[in-house]
Amino acid sequence: MASKSTGARSTPAGEGPDDGPAGGGSTRARLIRSAERLFAAQGVHGAQLREVVRQAGQANPSAVQYHFGSREGLLDAVMAERQQRTERALAERMPRPEGRSLGELLGALVDAEATELRTERGRDCLRISTQVSHRSGIRERRPHAGLAGTLYWRLILELEAPLVPLAPEPVRLERIDLALTLIGAALAERARQHAEGEPTLSGDGAYLADLVSVCTGLLTAPVP
């Protein structure tokens, strides 16, 4: 999920979206891909911007400030591209989440998020996303800047409807927030296992199905 915009500088001519995915030819794209790797490995706030610049093959130490305005602006760009990929995956699975069951909603959400496991870049971004998963805005019903107007946000809101008979509003919102955090953490850990070649206890399909089941149990557990 994207973080709040910080007013990054507009992209110079010739370095826009048509230059291809991060890791392609543009300076901006190379900086984003370098940030993805380092933010995943060292943490969003632990990675040094000078190292991001160096690994992007840039000599100008102010390259991040020039293209993104700040560390937060760079993180915004990383999460915006990650969110676009998830939006496309979600649109293929559930273009209209309204009125769907809790299991269907969670299944579509987890499956769309898990498409990031297929690529090195996606795995890096999953490890970054879990560091900012608390920023969805569901507790206040106000989407974070990167989620406003998205299908992802519509689906998150729809998770509440099946819970209305089961729990009061504060509990419903807290549980949805917790479920999103759990999904982010679970997929980030799976991404780490894949990235480091660590043996897993189950296949990805079983792991994701169990994650949906666990989140369903979390959301529908009896209120004390």
Side-chain angles (χ1 to χ4, degrees), residues 201-222:
L201 297 177
S202 60
D204 283 354
Y207 184 81
L208 298 176
D210 191 54
L211 180 57
V212 171
S213 180
V214 168
C215 288
T216 301
L218 184 160
L219 292 171
T220 59

Side-chain angles (χ1 to χ4, degrees), residues 163 165-168 171 175 216-224:
L163 308 181
L166 306 178
V171 175
R175 287 186 175 187
T216 301
L218 184 160
L219 292 171
T220 59
V223 178

Side-chain angles (χ1 to χ4, degrees), residues 12-150:
E15 294 186 7
D18 291 339
D19 291 316
S26 78
T27 297
R28 189 176 189 277
R30 290 196 297 272
L31 287 167
I32 289 175
R33 185 66 192 105
S34 177
E36 289 168 346
R37 294 190 183 100
L38 289 169
F39 286 174
Q42 301 174 12
V44 168
H45 299 292
Q48 298 295 312
L49 292 186
R50 62 177 177 271
E51 184 63 14
V52 170
V53 172
R54 189 189 70 79
Q55 291 198 17
Q58 302 304 302
N60 185 350
S62 300
V64 168
Q65 284 72 22
Y66 180 83
H67 288 275
F68 306 100
S70 65
R71 179 186 297 267
E72 281 296 311
L74 177 56
L75 177 61
D76 286 346
V78 168
M79 289 293 93
E81 294 199 4
R82 181 254 198 272
Q83 186 61 42
Q84 289 172 5
R85 296 194 299 274
T86 303
E87 277 286 290
R88 290 193 293 269
L90 195 56
E92 293 174 358
R93 290 155 176 79
M94 186 174 285
R96 297 183 61 85
E98 292 77 14
R100 306 296 287 267
S101 71
L102 185 61
E104 290 173 322
L105 293 167
L106 286 171
L109 178 62
V110 168
D111 194 38
E113 292 271 25
T115 58
E116 291 287 271
L117 288 171
R118 299 173 183 172
T119 66
E120 180 184 0
R121 184 185 185 193
R123 292 189 290 271
D124 286 341
C125 287
L126 285 173
R127 297 173 72 180
I128 298 169
S129 294
T130 192
Q131 300 175 55
V132 296
S133 62
H134 59 284
R135 299 183 180 185
S136 71
I138 188 61
R139 288 173 178 262
E140 301 81 23
R141 297 185 188 278
R142 291 195 302 271
H144 205 273
L147 295 181
T150 63

